Amino acid sequence: MTTHPPDIEAFSEADAGELVAEGLAPITDVLPTPLPMWSLACRGRGGGIGLAPSWFVVVGGATGHGKSLLVSNLCVNAIRNGLSVGFISTEMTRQEVFARFLAIVSGCSVRRLEPGTLFQQSTATEAVEVWRSQQKARWWFDNGLPHSVRDVATSLKSMAVDHRCKVLVVDYVQDVGLEIEHVAQRSQTVAQMLKRCARTFHVIVVGVSQFNRGQSFTARRDSPVSEGLAGGQWENSADQVILLDQSSYEKADYGTKAHTRILLKKNRHGPTAEIPVTWDYDNLRLSERSAAPDPRSSHGDRS
């Protein structure tokens, strides 16, 4: 059997020219995040503005601690900035997701937008009008079953190629690829598929990862990311890992809001960060709270 040597090339002057050209190229199709500290930490092709095309981002946390709400705020930002969104949900319907988007955009109570005794037609009409006035892109939704690796890959390709979505969301990644029995192998296969999708179609892919309730992630610098990410497969594949720090959870304003932290625990394109935030449970909006700068956040760029 003939063995071919690896294709190794020396760095050349042409490569240097390409590096300069890329550095001078305009920053396009970047997704501003809902949090200024997070956006500022998105260096490289993110330009300190937000998430860049070809990045794979993992958002992790325990059940009920705001993972999907964080991603909903991110999607709203995308649509407001003219970036189309493709959304795959393994748990929510299209109307449930849309009600969240409407609440965030309009500031109306999400309970007034959901079916049931609290639903108000006037509130829904008002919210839809605000949505139409701010909508600069479309969004597509897929909750079809089953969620095999091939099914999800096909859906993501269709959203990226046929519908020109610039942001693709998979919520939850643990529900994808259940045809693969071995958990570690499943995690590796799904993570690599999502990363490959981001690179191939030059889009931002966001995977939402659910941890067990017993797992807590604190603001310690040495707190392990991989303990909740199926042996580190998600951490290894991701450009960024965002964790919701439930240990800092504190109710505020008679229980209508909550203060907590969002941890940018891995960042391949800039520094890590600990971001104090406030959740508004009524309209589901997420906002950054002012805090003294953490000196640790200004170092530790990852390459």
Side-chain angles (χ1 to χ4, degrees), residues 162-182:
D162 300 331
H163 301 299
R164 299 183 180 180
C165 292
K166 300 296 184 180
V167 181
L168 303 176
V169 175
V170 179
D171 182 8
Y172 293 108
V173 293
Q174 276 81 5
D175 291 336
V176 177
L178 296 182
E179 71 277 9
I180 303 174
E181 295 184 4
H182 194 278

Side-chain angles (χ1 to χ4, degrees), residues 108-258:
C108 297
S109 171
V110 69
R111 302 306 169 204
R112 307 295 184 191
L113 302 172
E114 297 173 333
T117 56
L118 296 180
F119 177 81
Q120 290 184 348
Q121 183 176 352
S122 59
T123 300
T125 300
E126 175 188 348
V128 169
E129 288 303 314
V130 175
W131 170 269
R132 288 173 175 167
S133 69
Q134 297 188 23
Q135 181 184 10
K136 296 182 180 180
R138 299 184 64 184
W139 73 289
W140 279 261
F141 183 83
D142 177 13
N143 65 345
L145 296 174
H147 291 103
S148 69
V149 175
R150 177 173 292 185
D151 290 332
V152 171
T154 299
S155 181
L156 292 174
K157 179 180 179 180
S158 176
M159 289 175 173
V161 176
D162 300 331
H163 301 299
R164 299 183 180 180
C165 292
K166 300 296 184 180
V167 181
L168 303 176
V169 175
V170 179
D171 182 8
Y172 293 108
V173 293
Q174 276 81 5
D175 291 336
V176 177
L178 296 182
E179 71 277 9
I180 303 174
E181 295 184 4
H182 194 278
V183 175
Q185 182 184 356
R186 181 193 312 154
S187 298
Q188 181 178 21
T189 301
V190 176
Q192 289 180 347
M193 179 270 290
L194 296 178
K195 181 176 182 178
R196 185 167 56 251
C197 175
R199 303 294 193 271
T200 300
F201 304 118
H202 197 55
V203 297
I204 300 161
V205 174
V206 181
V208 184
S209 179
Q210 181 168 302
F211 302 159
N212 296 328
R213 284 188 178 273
Q215 292 172 313
S216 176
F217 298 91
T218 69
R220 291 183 296 109
R221 183 169 184 165
D222 61 344
S223 102
V225 177
S226 59
E227 70 176 89
L229 294 177
Q233 299 296 340
W234 298 103
E235 178 187 3
N236 293 338
S237 299
D239 290 274
Q240 290 188 348
V241 175
I242 299 289
L243 301 180
L244 277 69
D245 178 22
Q246 64 213 59
S247 69
S248 65
Y249 185 88
E250 175 188 350
K251 288 187 177 181
D253 293 352
Y254 303 99
T256 60
K257 296 181 180 180

Side-chain angles (χ1 to χ4, degrees), residues 1 48 84 90 136 187 287:
M1 185 175 73
S84 294
T90 63
K136 296 182 180 180
S187 298
S287 59

